[in-house]
Amino acid sequence: MGDATDEDDYFDTVSVNSTRSKRKLNNNDYIALSRNTLYYSVPDLGGNNMEMTELQDSGHKSWRYFSNSELVVDFVLAYDEQGKQEHVQRRKTFEASLQQTGLILEREVNQRIHFVKLHVPREVLCQYAEILKLRMPIKDNDEQLPKENIVTNTVQKCLEKCRVTLDRKKFPPQKYQLTAEFSKDKPYLFDVDSPDFFSDSVKITVASYILEREKFGPEDQDRGIKQLIADGTYKAAYPLHDGKIDDAGSKRHLLFHEWASISMCIKFQPIDDIKDYFGVKLALYFTWLGFYTHMLIPASIVGILCLLYGAFTLHSDTLSQDICSLDVTMCPLCDKYCDYWKLSGSCTYSKIQHLIDNPATIFFAVFMSIWAAIYLEFWKRYSAEIAHRWGLTGFDLQAEPPRPEFLLRLSNAKKKKLNVITQLQEPVVPFWRVKLPSIILSFTVAFFWALIALTIVIGIVIYRMSLLTSDALYKDRTSVRIYVVPVTAGLLNLVCIVILNMIYDRLAVWLTEMELQRTQTEFDDSLALKIYIFQFVNYYSSIFYIAFFKGKFVGYPSKYNKVFGYRQEECSPGGCLMELTIQLAIIMVGNQAMNSVMEMLIPFCFKMYNTFIVSKRIEEADTEEELIGCNQWTADYNLSDLQSRSLFAEYLEMVLQYGFVTLFVTAFPLAPLFALINNVLEMRLDAKKFMKYFRRPVPQRVKNIGVWYQVLTVIGRIAIVSNAMIIAFSSNFIPRLVYMLKVNSDHTDQGFLEFSLAYFNTSDFKPGTAPESPTYDTQVCRYAEFRNPPDDPHKYKRPLIYWHILAVRLAFIVVYQNLVSFIVTVVEWTIPDISRKLNDRIKREAYKVNEIIIKNESERTKKRSNTVRKRDSLLSEVGSVYHDAISEAGDVKNHRSTMYYDTGDS
């Protein structure tokens, strides 16, 4: 025994070049250091690493493995050999700390960018799986999922015939496994010796956790790889992709061709395989996006049916027929330069508007409000099932460490305090003197930029007003007013939105940094609040203007309400709904198309830029080294790093789209269809982007989509009021209803056009406002308002019917909002967050795991009791020698058998 002990001590201090251990790992010798760690450079293993090319012939082995070993590279650190001298000491201290935790390291130094490859041994995985409270599959698991009912089986068979389900040969269904929180003290629960027990995702998670916590300096806060990357000690830290995209044997190749391909856009997503490769957080985004996209299918169908209803009833629409057939002379749209115009010139416009503004619009608005509630409730149920299937039931985030940027900015802070959770000394930010003024300044600037966005909208409105004045230069003035002005204004608004977004995104990050938020969660929440508020104003303000303000305060020909000397815009006699539709279509569809292009173009440009920079540095170097492109770490180094805000941008884009689909769906029934088409492509383009242009992210555990669910809920509530107001004020539904019920004795809409147009005597024009050279010689012109005629004693004043219509509009908003809100509340109440089957399954699994633990612990207790009795028996018979039989009882700590001597006998 003494020899064995001496050998162990020897291997703890021996030089890595002097001898090799007799122990084996995967049938290969490896060099041993303290705590079974390995740390050696490429020259230690046989000179120049260029000799690795001999190993290339072995195929995939050398692509992501250690040199001359079968150890898989789980994580990689990269640094520049020409870094600062203080960085060298930090790296040395940090890597020594990594060794102390049990990680195996190998350094590759044959190029300008040096790499430190990390491998997480099984012992370390067991230790940190218990610390991180990971739920791992238990062995001897005979638990089966509940059998599907007849309806579910029928739907599944139909989907298989439609070829939208996954190929079972390429993505075999994963066997349902019962999971439990990992514990080294319960070896009977887990098959730790199985080679597939710890997945790549678990290995990366453990490696990242260690890298985030290990120290590199004397201070308590001198720890974590993020801080080392922030100060330039390391260039990058990342896990490796599973081989090349073209490597047919890798999971990356499978996902790239069977999931990220546009040709697979109609198929389901392999969410379990995505979770295994990217981790829960990114997989949950794709799961949510896929669920949202599928829920858009019924909304798209109903929207199309509403348009078809408008098309089929177009021949019976008296309003559009009267506009096209009656000879009505309208008052000029601007002072002096504009001429009288014929209402029949907007015939096509009125017919197109009927496709949107028809009785089916009310039904569609109510349907979409209920759809939004059902979608959120169903997602809540589905996400609970996904969280349980992925072992996240009962998961909660641990205490977060401070952000590296936070520690760097406060590195010289003198005042520190003890964090009661982490028991570490952290710098203190004075609340009243520093933090509160920073937050006030930050949100003041953010509010100022929101006002800038509103100013842009006002500028575009003035542009539209001025364009109406100048359209006298055109011969076909009606088409300019109806089509050219809205389209050009919409395009101009879209350009302004994109420019403001580019500026404000950078400004919001700077403002949030100024607030000195301690943790990443606090930082992300504050940033999300600023950006979403600004985006809400930036995207929706012009739409709100058209929906609720345009044409509502115009005045009448002899007394127009002017803004900066320009007359306000008027709605068409058919209402402003058509123009609202044009604005929505341009902003929504144009923004989605631009985002799709930029999402692929920007990562590609970054990849090309990184490759160019690395190649240029090598060309300028004095050595003859060449960048090795035959391993995974060098290939992944040229990829872009997937920042924490990358997924934030994806969520933000979809939430803004959700706003278009729900807030203004009354004016744009095709919004769900365009969103569906965009999302089908968006999923595959995002997948291609993450697989091809970004490094593999560190898996992160989350239970749900976070704050975005609350944002979606608030949008759904606002959408109820928004659609009610659009129906009440932007469409002709309420005026036509009042006309049918109160004015027309036949209770039809015959004559509604005549009812909705007021008369104006052209002799009442103020000097200098009448047309200079009128084409039509008329004494009376018409305009879209409810006012008394010129022969009335109270001419041009509001008639009583106007106030009746206004009262009905307000009453409609109240009734609609309360009725739909009640239905939504009933839907939310009747659909539980967790299904009864899932709730029973969770209880059943917890009961079964407890039964297994109780049974095995009872057996271990009996064995210990028998061991104690055996030891006592030996002690009574011999009296001098007894054996400790802990190891015979199967204790997981693997204590060596020892001998204890009675000192009295000696």
Side-chain angles (χ1 to χ4, degrees):
M1 290 185 62
D3 295 337
T5 303
D6 293 339
E7 184 186 27
D8 287 341
D9 293 338
Y10 172 75
F11 279 117
D12 279 347
T13 58
V14 71
S15 167
V16 294
N17 285 318
S18 57
T19 185
R20 288 185 176 267
S21 171
K22 297 179 181 179
R23 301 178 224 175
K24 298 277 187 177
L25 182 61
N26 296 329
N27 298 322
N28 281 317
D29 294 336
Y30 74 96
I31 303 173
L33 286 178
S34 179
R35 298 187 184 180
N36 296 327
T37 63
L38 181 68
Y39 190 6
Y40 52 89
S41 64
V42 174
D44 291 330
L45 296 173
N48 196 326
N49 195 41
M50 296 299 292
E51 297 175 2
M52 285 179 59
T53 53
E54 298 177 359
L55 297 174
Q56 308 298 318
D57 299 334
S58 61
H60 185 66
K61 178 179 182 302
S62 61
W63 186 253
R64 58 192 302 265
Y65 282 70
F66 274 41
S67 306
N68 300 325
S69 172
E70 292 185 359
L71 295 179
V72 179
V73 178
D74 297 320
F75 222 94
V76 170
L77 308 178
Y79 62 93
D80 195 330
E81 65 174 351
Q82 296 183 1
K84 299 179 181 179
Q85 186 59 37
E86 59 266 24
H87 293 167
V88 176
Q89 183 58 41
R90 288 183 182 179
R91 286 194 294 266
K92 182 177 180 180
T93 305
F94 183 67
E95 292 167 15
S97 299
L98 297 180
Q99 289 180 262
Q100 293 300 315
T101 63
L103 295 185
I104 300 176
L105 285 71
E106 181 187 60
R107 178 176 293 167
E108 182 179 290
V109 295
N110 65 326
Q111 51 188 317
R112 168 72 176 271
I113 301 298
H114 293 181
F115 297 94
V116 179
K117 295 170 280 185
L118 309 179
H119 174 77
V120 188
R122 189 168 297 271
E123 294 81 3
V124 179
L125 290 172
C126 292
Q127 176 186 357
Y128 281 89
E130 184 174 25
I131 293 174
L132 293 172
K133 302 184 183 301
L134 299 179
R135 295 186 66 88
M136 304 297 293
I138 67 174
K139 61 183 179 182
D140 300 328
N141 174 30
D142 59 353
E143 189 74 13
Q144 298 294 329
L145 281 172
K147 295 183 179 180
E148 303 291 349
N149 53 37
I150 297 177
V151 176
T152 305
N153 288 332
T154 303
V155 172
Q156 183 66 23
K157 291 180 180 178
C158 293
L159 293 175
E160 290 178 355
K161 289 184 179 180
C162 295
R163 296 184 179 181
V164 298
T165 56
L166 295 172
D167 188 343
R168 292 180 177 270
K169 294 181 180 179
K170 297 177 180 178
F171 297 101
Q174 296 186 5
K175 179 184 176 183
Y176 180 74
Q177 291 182 301
L178 200 61
T179 61
E181 196 173 286
F182 184 79
S183 174
K184 294 188 296 182
D185 295 332
K186 298 180 178 63
Y188 48 80
L189 274 181
F190 308 100
D191 189 11
V192 181
D193 295 330
S194 172
D196 299 326
F197 180 74
F198 290 109
S199 63
D200 289 344
S201 180
V202 173
K203 296 176 182 177
I204 295 170
T205 300
V206 170
S208 176
Y209 182 79
I210 295 174
L211 289 171
E212 290 290 345
R213 295 180 62 85
E214 289 307 308
K215 298 187 65 175
F216 58 83
E219 300 294 332
D220 284 343
Q221 300 306 325
D222 291 343
R223 62 177 68 225
I225 186 62
K226 286 185 179 179
Q227 192 168 343
L228 290 173
I229 294 176
D231 65 17
T233 302
Y234 287 100
K235 301 285 290 184
Y238 51 93
L240 298 181
H241 276 294
D242 182 27
K244 297 182 293 185
I245 289 178
D246 299 330
D247 187 356
S250 67
K251 178 63 70 77
R252 187 184 184 190
H253 173 273
L254 178 64
L255 289 175
F256 184 80
H257 291 281
E258 299 296 329
W259 169 53
S261 174
I262 298 295
S263 60
M264 301 293 173
C265 63
I266 64 171
K267 288 186 175 292
F268 291 161
Q269 297 184 102
I271 57 174
D272 291 322
D273 296 86
I274 299 172
K275 186 266 298 182
D276 292 338
Y277 194 83
F278 286 114
V280 173
K281 186 174 182 178
L282 197 141
L284 197 60
Y285 162 73
F286 281 104
T287 305
W288 170 76
L289 181 56
F291 186 86
Y292 168 50
T293 303
H294 282 91
M295 286 293 293
L296 284 171
I297 295 176
S300 302
I301 294 174
V302 176
I304 294 173
L305 291 177
C306 288
L307 283 179
L308 292 177
Y309 174 84
F312 292 145
T313 59
L314 181 60
H315 67 281
S316 61
D317 180 43
T318 57
L319 179 61
S320 60
Q321 289 178 356
D322 289 345
I323 290 176
C324 295
S325 60
L326 297 180
D327 184 17
V328 179
T329 302
M330 302 296 293
C331 296
L333 296 173
C334 65
D335 296 339
K336 191 176 181 180
Y337 300 107
C338 294
D339 195 3
Y340 301 105
W341 58 283
K342 293 295 184 179
L343 182 60
S344 57
S346 61
C347 175
T348 305
Y349 183 91
S350 62
K351 290 182 179 180
I352 297 175
Q353 176 158 305
H354 177 71
L355 300 178
I356 302 167
D357 190 5
N358 56 69
T361 303
I362 309 297
F363 167 77
F364 189 53
V366 176
F367 171 82
M368 287 303 297
S369 297
I370 299 174
W371 171 88
I374 294 175
Y375 155 65
L376 291 176
E377 291 303 310
F378 278 4
W379 165 250
K380 201 184 298 182
R381 285 167 61 94
Y382 183 64
S383 63
E385 294 181 4
I386 292 296
H388 176 70
R389 190 164 84 194
W390 291 349
L392 297 169
T393 302
F395 167 74
D396 192 12
L397 289 174
Q398 299 178 350
E400 277 194 86
R403 297 173 58 245
E405 296 84 356
F406 173 81
L407 297 177
L408 283 176
R409 292 193 63 184
L410 298 177
S411 57
N412 298 324
K414 297 180 180 179
K415 187 177 179 181
K416 296 185 179 182
K417 69 175 182 179
L418 181 68
N419 187 312
V420 295
I421 299 175
T422 61
Q423 293 297 308
L424 296 175
Q425 292 290 332
E426 295 182 359
V428 178
V429 180
F431 180 78
W432 295 104
R433 185 166 54 86
V434 178
K435 194 172 183 65
L436 183 60
S438 299
I439 293 176
I440 293 175
L441 177 61
S442 174
F443 278 92
T444 301
V445 175
F447 179 72
F448 172 75
W449 270 84
L451 292 180
I452 291 178
L454 287 176
T455 305
I456 295 294
V457 174
I458 295 174
I460 293 174
V461 171
I462 296 175
Y463 158 78
R464 295 156 65 104
M465 295 177 184
S466 63
L467 201 62
L468 290 176
T469 302
S470 63
D471 75 352
L473 301 175
Y474 299 90
K475 293 181 180 180
D476 189 3
R477 300 166 190 170
T478 302
S479 63
V480 171
R481 176 180 61 83
I482 294 178
Y483 303 109
V484 176
V485 173
V487 171
T488 55
L491 293 174
L492 183 62
N493 190 29
L494 177 61
V495 172
C496 293
I497 285 173
V498 173
I499 294 174
L500 285 177
N501 282 345
M502 293 173 61
I503 299 174
Y504 185 77
D505 281 353
R506 292 170 174 78
L507 178 65
V509 174
W510 178 76
L511 292 174
T512 311
E513 289 283 2
M514 186 175 59
E515 295 175 9
L516 295 175
Q517 300 290 351
R518 175 184 169 272
T519 65
Q520 190 64 42
T521 299
E522 294 173 347
F523 181 88
D524 292 342
D525 289 346
S526 180
L527 181 63
L529 181 61
K530 292 185 188 66
I531 290 184
Y532 185 73
I533 291 175
F534 176 79
Q535 298 278 31
F536 189 93
V537 175
N538 199 18
Y539 276 97
Y540 302 146
S541 53
S542 62
I543 301 173
F544 275 111
Y545 160 75
I546 297 174
F548 305 131
F549 297 100
K550 182 180 177 181
K552 306 301 186 295
F553 313 100
V554 176
Y556 55 95
S558 62
K559 190 180 179 180
Y560 283 116
N561 300 318
K562 297 186 177 182
V563 178
F564 297 107
Y566 295 107
R567 277 174 48 181
Q568 295 185 42
E569 296 179 281
E570 300 178 33
C571 290
S572 168
C576 283
L577 207 60
M578 183 59 190
E579 187 172 345
L580 181 60
T581 303
I582 294 174
Q583 189 82 357
L584 278 167
I586 291 175
I587 294 178
M588 178 182 173
V589 179
N591 184 64
Q592 289 181 165
M594 188 175 299
N595 283 338
S596 298
V597 173
M598 297 302 291
E599 284 181 0
M600 293 301 296
L601 185 62
I602 291 177
F604 174 77
C605 292
F606 269 113
K607 180 183 177 182
M608 297 301 296
Y609 173 76
N610 291 338
T611 304
F612 171 75
I613 291 297
V614 172
S615 302
K616 185 176 180 181
R617 286 179 176 176
I618 293 173
E619 291 176 359
E620 294 176 353
D622 296 333
T623 61
E624 298 180 355
E625 298 173 359
E626 296 181 2
L627 184 64
I628 298 178
C630 56
N631 52 55
Q632 192 67 54
W633 47 93
T634 54
D636 288 358
Y637 180 79
N638 293 327
L639 301 179
S640 299
D641 189 21
L642 189 60
Q643 303 291 338
S644 59
R645 285 194 59 212
S646 299
L647 210 54
F648 167 81
E650 304 297 337
Y651 273 116
L652 179 63
E653 179 186 352
M654 290 297 105
V655 171
L656 288 171
Q657 181 202 88
Y658 182 80
F660 285 114
V661 170
T662 54
L663 291 173
F664 312 104
V665 72
T666 303
F668 193 24
L670 290 181
L673 177 62
F674 282 109
L676 174 64
I677 296 172
N678 174 80
N679 292 358
V680 168
L681 300 176
E682 179 80 13
M683 279 189 294
R684 309 302 165 168
L685 291 177
D686 283 347
K688 183 184 292 290
K689 176 178 63 177
F690 291 137
M691 296 294 301
K692 188 174 183 179
Y693 299 119
F694 285 97
R695 296 169 186 157
R696 188 173 183 175
V698 175
Q700 298 182 41
R701 291 182 293 168
V702 292
K703 288 184 65 175
N704 46 50
I705 60 176
V707 71
W708 298 111
Y709 182 86
Q710 284 72 30
V711 173
L712 295 174
T713 303
V714 172
I715 291 176
R717 294 294 185 178
I718 296 176
I720 298 175
V721 181
S722 173
N723 285 295
M725 293 183 68
I726 290 175
I727 295 172
F729 290 102
S730 295
S731 74
N732 283 315
F733 174 75
I734 299 299
R736 186 180 295 193
L737 181 65
V738 173
Y739 174 78
M740 294 170 60
L741 296 178
K742 188 175 179 62
V743 178
N744 193 343
S745 59
D746 296 333
H747 301 298
T748 64
D749 60 352
Q750 290 291 339
F752 173 72
L753 177 63
E754 180 71 20
F755 167 74
S756 63
L757 296 178
Y759 290 88
F760 179 75
N761 193 326
T762 58
S763 62
D764 292 333
F765 273 119
K766 290 183 179 181
T769 60
E772 283 186 338
S773 53
T775 305
Y776 306 100
D777 184 13
T778 179
Q779 298 297 320
V780 177
C781 63
R782 310 294 294 273
Y783 60 100
E785 267 283 11
F786 293 100
R787 290 186 181 271
N788 293 326
D791 57 353
D792 191 274
H794 303 285
K795 66 177 183 179
Y796 307 138
K797 299 297 183 183
R798 296 289 190 185
L800 185 60
I801 193 65
Y802 169 81
W803 302 107
H804 287 169
I805 293 174
L806 180 62
V808 174
R809 280 171 167 165
L810 297 176
F812 172 81
I813 293 174
V814 174
V815 173
Y816 179 93
Q817 193 272 335
N818 284 279
L819 178 62
V820 176
S821 296
F822 173 75
I823 297 174
V824 169
T825 303
V826 171
V827 169
E828 294 174 349
W829 181 73
T830 54
I831 301 177
D833 295 348
I834 300 178
S835 65
R836 181 179 57 82
K837 289 183 178 180
L838 177 60
N839 198 27
D840 293 342
R841 193 192 315 162
I842 292 173
K843 294 178 180 178
R844 163 66 182 167
E845 292 175 359
Y847 170 78
K848 185 171 182 179
V849 171
N850 288 335
E851 287 295 308
I852 295 174
I853 293 174
I854 292 172
K855 177 182 177 181
N856 285 273
E857 289 294 337
S858 298
E859 293 177 355
R860 293 177 67 179
T861 302
K862 291 179 182 179
K863 289 182 179 180
R864 289 193 182 98
S865 299
N866 294 335
T867 301
V868 171
R869 286 195 295 269
K870 180 179 178 181
R871 185 184 63 183
D872 292 342
S873 175
L874 290 173
L875 183 62
S876 61
E877 292 178 4
V878 180
S880 58
V881 179
Y882 69 88
H883 296 278
D884 184 0
I886 292 179
S887 60
E888 298 174 9
D891 188 84
V892 295
K893 295 182 180 179
N894 296 324
H895 289 109
R896 296 173 179 170
S897 298
T898 58
M899 298 184 64
Y900 297 84
Y901 294 93
D902 189 340
T903 56
D905 294 337
S906 61

